[in-house]
């Protein structure tokens, strides 16, 4: 993407950047407040690992169902408004999940929260990219790093609430109100006007006219002679694009799977299998997202120096070895470090897959990004029930082998990513 903005950002644009950062922060913090309370909710509902895994899968199910509706909502109401409304409704869904008295109500509340979270995610990224175009340089990675800060903050809030013996209702009501208000305040400083870019649309139409004009100048004989070559080239391009797109989906899904392992199972594994205290058990997820934040903060510099392919392969190796050793020698401290290495290793995977998908040939602008963003949520959807079923059949320790396996998958597929630019 080429942007011709050379002047420094105006005050309104800097304020909009701060507003988007607040939206990413609240989005990361809201659900993270619920995650460390999962062991208590599971115990209160009296359900097994398989039932728990199926119930938790309602969150990514809601995200998949509602994800494709985000575009229409953004076009009608604007990305800023949709992001804020989604944040408020996510908080309500999280609160309802914490107060649920049955597994059905728990899963239904998570379904609502997941649907609103997906819409919020698309909308805040859309607004962040809009601000980025005004800046004329990349700033989107900083927003994702701030999301990680929000997740660490939310997890820490939950750990503090557990230590203070706050009830689920008290804790999650405070979270919903605080972050809902923050999002509403941020809306005042978001960019106004439509999300479409008139200049980009004009350039697209101009390119289309030039292409059509060039084709019209060809004689019928030339067109017939070149047609087989064009069809063969188009076929090869489509095959290559399909393969790369599938690989990018798997890379992004691997990153999502590792994140889900930390969010859905870290606290349970530490508390049930390793007998850690509730406060210490919450540290597994906090360590994962904290290390992920560090990886995102330094990721751009690493990619510039070594290339996206090398960074992804190295990250997959770090995740596989770190979590593999933690599972081979199970201790509370070692497991927390294992989740930290996994979070650091997958830090750049989702942004890398999205960036590559957005530049794939043969696809309409934004199509590759949309496909990867939507399909990677299958990692969140499939992971909880699979890990739960394996845990009930063997142990949760065996179920968590999905983390090092995801790291190995990334190492195999990372060849579709860009190498170092010379």
């Amino acid at each position: 993407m080429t942007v011709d903005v050379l002047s420094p950002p105006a005050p309104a644009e800097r304020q909009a950047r701060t507003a988007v950062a607040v939206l990413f922060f609240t989005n990361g913090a809201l659900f993270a407040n619920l995650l460390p309370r999962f062991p208590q909710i599971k115990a209160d509902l009296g359900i097994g690992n398989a039932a728990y895994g199926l119930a938790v899968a309602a969150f990514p199910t809601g995200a998949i169902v509602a994800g494709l509706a985000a575009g229409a909502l953004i076009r009608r109401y604007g990305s800023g408004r949709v992001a804020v409304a989604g944040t408020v409704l996510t908080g309500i869904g999280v609160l309802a999940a914490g107060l649920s008295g049955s597994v059905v109500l728990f899963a239904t509340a998570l379904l609502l929260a997941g649907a609103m979270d997906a819409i919020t995610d698309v909308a805040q990224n859309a607004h962040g990219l809009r601000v980025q175009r005004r800046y004329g340089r990349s700033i989107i990675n900083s927003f994702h790093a701030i999301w990680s800060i929000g997740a660490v903050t939310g997890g820490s809030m939950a750990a503090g609430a557990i230590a203070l013996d706050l009830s689920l209702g008290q804790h999650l009501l405070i979270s919903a109100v605080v972050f809902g208000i923050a999002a509403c305040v941020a809306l005042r400083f978001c960019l106004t006007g439509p999300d479409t870019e008139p200049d980009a649309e004009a350039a697209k139409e101009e390119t289309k006219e030039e292409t059509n004009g060039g084709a019209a100048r060809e004689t019928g004989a030339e067109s017939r002679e070149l047609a087989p070559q064009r069809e063969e080239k188009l076929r090869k391009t489509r095959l290559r694009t399909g393969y790369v797109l599938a690989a990018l989906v798997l890379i992004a899904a691997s990153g999502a799977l590792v994140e889900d392992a930390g969010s859905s199972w870290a606290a349970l594994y530490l508390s049930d299998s390793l007998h850690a205290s509730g406060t210490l058990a919450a540290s597994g997820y906090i360590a994962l997202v904290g290390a992920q934040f560090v990886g995102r903060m330094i990721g751009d510099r690493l990619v510039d120096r070594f290339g996206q392919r090398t960074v992804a392969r190295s990250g997959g190796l770090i995740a596989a070895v770190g979590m593999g050793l933690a599972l081979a020698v199970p201790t509370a401290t070692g497991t927390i470090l294992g989740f930290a290495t996994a979070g650091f290793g997958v830090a750049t995977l989702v942004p890398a897959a999205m960036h590559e998908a957005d530049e794939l040939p043969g696809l309409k602008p934004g199509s590759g990004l949309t496909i990867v963003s939507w399909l990677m949520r299958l990692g969140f959807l499939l992971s909880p029930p699979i890990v739960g079923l394996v845990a009930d059949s063997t142990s949760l320790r065996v179920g968590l082998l999905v983390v090092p396996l995801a790291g190995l998958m990334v190492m195999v597929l990372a060849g579709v990513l860009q190498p170092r630019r010379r």
Side-chain angles (χ1 to χ4, degrees):
M1 179 178 67
T2 301
V3 182
D4 294 324
V5 178
L6 299 177
S7 58
E13 291 157 357
R14 290 196 295 269
Q15 290 175 352
R17 180 178 181 177
T18 301
V20 174
V22 170
L23 293 176
F24 271 82
F25 180 88
T26 56
N27 182 250
L30 274 172
F31 192 57
N33 264 276
L34 180 64
L35 298 177
R37 308 303 296 251
F38 274 170
Q40 179 183 344
I41 294 173
K42 179 175 178 288
D44 291 343
L45 295 177
I47 56 178
N49 286 324
Y52 167 79
L54 289 171
V56 172
F59 187 89
T61 299
I64 289 175
V65 170
L68 294 179
L73 291 172
I74 290 170
R75 286 191 294 271
R76 181 165 185 177
Y77 300 106
S79 56
R81 291 178 181 175
V82 172
V84 172
T87 298
V88 173
L89 292 174
T90 299
I92 293 173
V94 168
L95 175 61
L99 297 177
S100 299
S102 70
V103 66
V104 174
L105 291 177
F106 177 58
T108 302
L110 287 181
L111 187 76
L112 169 65
M116 295 302 102
D117 177 77
I119 291 173
T120 301
D121 184 44
V122 175
Q124 67 188 12
N125 274 284
H127 207 80
L129 289 169
R130 187 179 170 196
V131 175
Q132 176 174 278
R133 287 191 289 270
R134 298 285 190 91
Y135 265 66
R137 56 185 173 86
S138 177
I139 59 173
I140 195 67
N141 287 327
S142 67
F143 293 138
H144 285 270
I146 289 170
W147 184 94
S148 297
I149 297 177
V152 172
T153 301
S156 300
M157 284 177 61
I162 293 171
L164 294 173
D165 202 26
L166 290 180
S167 68
L168 276 165
Q170 292 172 327
H171 163 213
L172 296 177
L173 178 61
I174 292 172
S175 171
V177 170
V178 169
F179 296 120
I181 291 175
C184 290
V185 172
L187 179 60
R188 295 184 56 196
F189 302 99
C190 288
L191 297 175
T192 58
D195 284 84
T196 55
E197 298 291 333
D199 293 340
E201 291 297 323
K204 189 187 301 182
E205 289 298 322
E206 183 179 345
T207 301
K208 183 177 179 181
E209 289 176 4
E210 290 176 356
T211 302
N212 291 339
R217 285 190 293 269
E218 291 180 353
T219 65
E222 289 173 335
S223 180
R224 286 191 298 272
E225 183 179 339
L226 294 174
Q229 299 176 14
R230 288 175 176 169
E231 289 179 2
E232 179 63 18
K233 184 177 181 181
L234 182 60
R235 185 185 68 83
K236 291 181 178 180
T237 299
R238 285 175 176 172
L239 287 174
R240 171 64 180 171
T241 298
Y243 165 73
V244 173
L245 189 59
L248 293 175
V249 168
L250 290 174
I251 290 173
S254 296
L257 187 150
V258 172
E259 289 184 32
D260 179 77
S263 63
S264 298
W265 300 102
L268 279 175
Y269 179 63
L270 284 162
S271 62
D272 292 356
S273 300
L274 301 181
H275 310 293
S277 65
T279 303
L280 183 61
S283 301
Y285 177 67
I286 295 172
L288 186 147
V289 293
Q292 188 180 60
F293 163 74
V294 174
R296 285 173 173 170
M297 288 296 292
I298 66 175
D300 287 332
R301 291 193 293 272
L302 292 176
V303 168
D304 288 340
R305 183 170 183 178
F306 302 107
Q308 194 68 260
R309 183 182 301 173
T310 300
V311 172
R313 280 181 175 157
S314 300
L317 177 63
I318 290 171
V321 173
M323 197 64 192
L325 289 175
L327 293 172
V329 186
T331 64
T333 301
T335 298
I336 292 171
L337 291 175
F339 278 111
T341 58
F344 182 82
V346 304
T348 64
L349 294 185
V350 172
M354 289 183 173
H355 177 266
E356 294 290 336
D358 203 34
E359 297 186 349
L360 280 177
L363 296 177
K364 294 180 180 179
S367 297
L369 175 61
T370 300
I371 292 170
V372 170
S373 299
W374 190 65
L375 289 179
M376 78 170 184
R377 293 183 180 274
L378 289 175
F380 289 109
L381 175 62
L382 298 177
S383 175
I386 290 175
V387 174
L389 289 171
V390 173
D392 279 349
S393 300
T394 54
S395 67
L396 184 52
R397 179 183 172 192
V398 175
L400 287 174
L401 285 173
V402 296
V403 176
L405 289 176
L408 294 176
M409 182 182 294
V410 171
M411 293 175 64
V412 172
L413 297 175
V416 300
L417 300 174
Q418 290 293 324
R420 177 184 177 184
R421 295 181 180 178
R422 299 185 182 278

